[in-house]
């Protein structure tokens, strides 16, 4: 996947729905008073700061590869004038070139590793480094078989849009729950691995497009827009028109008894939580 520029505002547009998996993930970390916590792929930091409420005595660091996301995260902390998040800091960091400090207690990663093809190797390196008693918790989307995601690749494969084909998100980097379970076991972690499908109720015009353009669609749309800017074409808008029409057909709106139109958008996610126990042997 080539590099692209994140839009923190668009990503945060569905902050409530995106927050639910983070809460479910971190609730599975059964540790009362960690001292050193890392949130890898922290995005705009809105969920990282919630860890300060749970673990006020911890030193919490959020890392993200996106300079735009880190800028928003730092601004978020600076906006508080009561020093409530004084134990939270942020920095720009690629996951593949980071090594956890030896005294790390918790690593959390929410919806990042689907963008990294070799993430099993990266995580395995972290798990080897972590001390007994440490926790690792990650969540990745498992929605690549959904029409909202499959159609990105189908549409980008058409001759007209083929310049963006290599940018299309396929979800092929996400592994099975069995693979993630075995990964934890191999490194002496007691695994807690599960999958959940959230049936998200979205509102507004073209809500599925609005959701997907914040993440999975972003690389393709950026590639098309860059081509349009350079060659005075209109591929971006043509792609969006086709995509929106397909999403309305795939996820038809529901009109409730109050007359309000909403769309139910199922979204599957995979959760991988492990505890490196002193007395746990495979």
């Amino acid at each position: 996947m080539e590099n692209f520029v994140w839009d923190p505002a668009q990503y945060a547009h569905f902050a409530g729905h995106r927050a639910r998996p983070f809460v479910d993930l971190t609730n599975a970390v059964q540790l009362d008073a960690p001292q050193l916590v890392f949130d890898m792929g922290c995005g705009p930091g809105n969920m990282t700061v919630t860890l300060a409420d749970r673990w006020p005595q911890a030193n919490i660091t959020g890392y993200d590869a996106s300079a735009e996301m880190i800028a928003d995260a730092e601004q978020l902390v600076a906006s508080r004038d009561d020093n409530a998040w004084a134990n939270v800091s942020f920095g720009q960091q690629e996951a593949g070139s980071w090594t956890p400090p030896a005294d790390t207690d918790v690593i959390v990663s929410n919806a990042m590793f689907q963008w990294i093809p070799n993430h099993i190797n990266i995580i395995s390196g972290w798990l080897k480094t972590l001390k007994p008693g440490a926790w690792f918790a990650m969540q990745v989307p498992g929605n690549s078989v959904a029409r909202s995601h499959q159609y990105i690749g189908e549409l980008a494969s058409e001759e007209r849009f083929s310049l963006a084909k290599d940018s299309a998100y396929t979800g092929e980097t996400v592994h099975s729950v069995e693979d993630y379970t075995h990964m934890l076991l191999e490194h002496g972690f007691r695994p807690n691995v599960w999958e959940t499908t959230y049936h998200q109720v979205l509102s507004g015009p073209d809500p599925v497009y609005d959701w997907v353009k914040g993440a999975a669609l972003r690389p393709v749309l950026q590639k098309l827009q860059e081509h349009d800017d350079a060659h005075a074409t209109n591929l971006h808008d043509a792609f969006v028109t086709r995509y929106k029409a397909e999403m309305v057909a795939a996820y038809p709106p529901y009109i409730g008894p109050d007359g309000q139109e909403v769309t139910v958008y199922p979204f599957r996610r995979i959760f991988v939580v492990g505890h490196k126990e002193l007395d746990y042997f495979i």
Side-chain angles (χ1 to χ4, degrees):
M1 182 69 65
E2 23 181 306
N3 292 329
F4 59 96
V5 179
W6 283 97
D7 180 351
Q10 180 59 42
Y11 185 81
H13 182 61
F14 294 98
H17 289 293
R18 296 192 192 278
R20 171 75 184 279
F22 185 92
V23 173
D24 290 346
L25 176 70
T26 54
N27 279 346
V29 178
Q30 299 172 14
L31 194 59
D32 293 332
Q35 297 300 305
L36 190 58
V37 177
F38 293 94
D39 182 5
M40 301 303 295
C42 64
N46 58 307
M47 297 311 302
T48 312
V49 295
T50 67
L51 299 178
D53 298 326
R54 178 178 177 182
W55 296 316
Q57 78 293 334
N59 184 342
I60 300 168
T61 303
Y63 284 132
D64 201 283
S66 166
E68 293 78 16
M69 289 291 195
I70 292 301
D72 267 38
E74 291 176 335
Q75 184 176 6
L76 176 65
V77 170
S79 69
R80 290 292 295 261
D81 56 8
D82 59 0
N83 218 30
W85 297 329
N87 62 327
V88 182
S89 61
F90 295 96
Q92 189 175 0
Q93 174 68 56
E94 295 279 351
S97 60
W98 180 72
T99 300
D103 55 345
T104 298
D105 294 302
V106 181
I107 297 176
V108 173
S109 181
N110 188 58
M112 175 188 74
F113 280 115
Q114 72 273 19
W115 299 108
I116 304 176
N118 66 331
H119 67 258
I120 284 279
N121 294 334
I122 293 173
I123 296 170
S124 293
W126 295 357
L127 298 182
K128 290 178 184 177
T129 302
L130 291 177
K131 65 183 180 182
W135 286 79
F136 172 79
M138 81 160 190
Q139 175 272 129
V140 288
N143 223 35
S144 59
V145 298
R147 189 60 182 157
S148 58
H149 288 57
Q150 284 190 331
Y151 192 58
I152 299 173
E154 290 179 20
L155 196 53
S157 295
E158 292 187 6
E159 183 177 358
R160 184 182 185 188
F161 305 115
S162 60
L163 65 97
K165 180 180 179 180
D166 292 341
S167 299
Y169 174 74
T170 63
E172 293 174 356
T173 61
V174 174
H175 296 261
S176 67
V177 292
E178 291 81 8
D179 287 342
Y180 291 126
T181 301
H182 293 158
M183 174 191 71
L184 292 173
L185 289 171
E186 287 170 6
H187 296 286
F189 281 70
R190 183 178 293 277
N192 180 12
V193 182
W194 73 95
E195 55 184 273
T196 296
T197 299
Y198 297 93
H199 288 259
Q200 302 171 154
V201 179
L202 309 179
S203 59
D206 300 303
V208 175
Y209 163 74
D210 281 345
W211 173 279
V212 181
K213 77 176 182 180
L217 254 181
R218 189 154 184 80
V220 167
L221 296 183
Q222 180 174 315
K223 187 74 172 181
L224 295 174
Q225 190 61 64
E226 289 171 352
H227 184 275
D228 287 348
D229 293 342
H231 300 89
T233 54
N234 195 31
L235 294 177
H236 175 279
D237 290 352
F239 187 99
V240 168
T241 297
R242 291 275 303 280
Y243 185 85
K244 285 182 176 180
E246 180 67 17
M247 292 306 99
V248 171
Y251 305 96
Y254 167 79
I255 300 177
D258 59 355
Q260 182 180 4
E261 186 176 285
V262 297
T263 297
V264 178
Y265 178 44
F267 202 101
R268 174 177 171 262
R269 295 181 182 272
I270 298 172
F271 295 81
V272 181
V273 179
H275 180 211
K276 197 169 190 176
E277 297 186 352
L278 284 167
D279 58 351
Y280 184 59
F281 299 97
I282 309 306

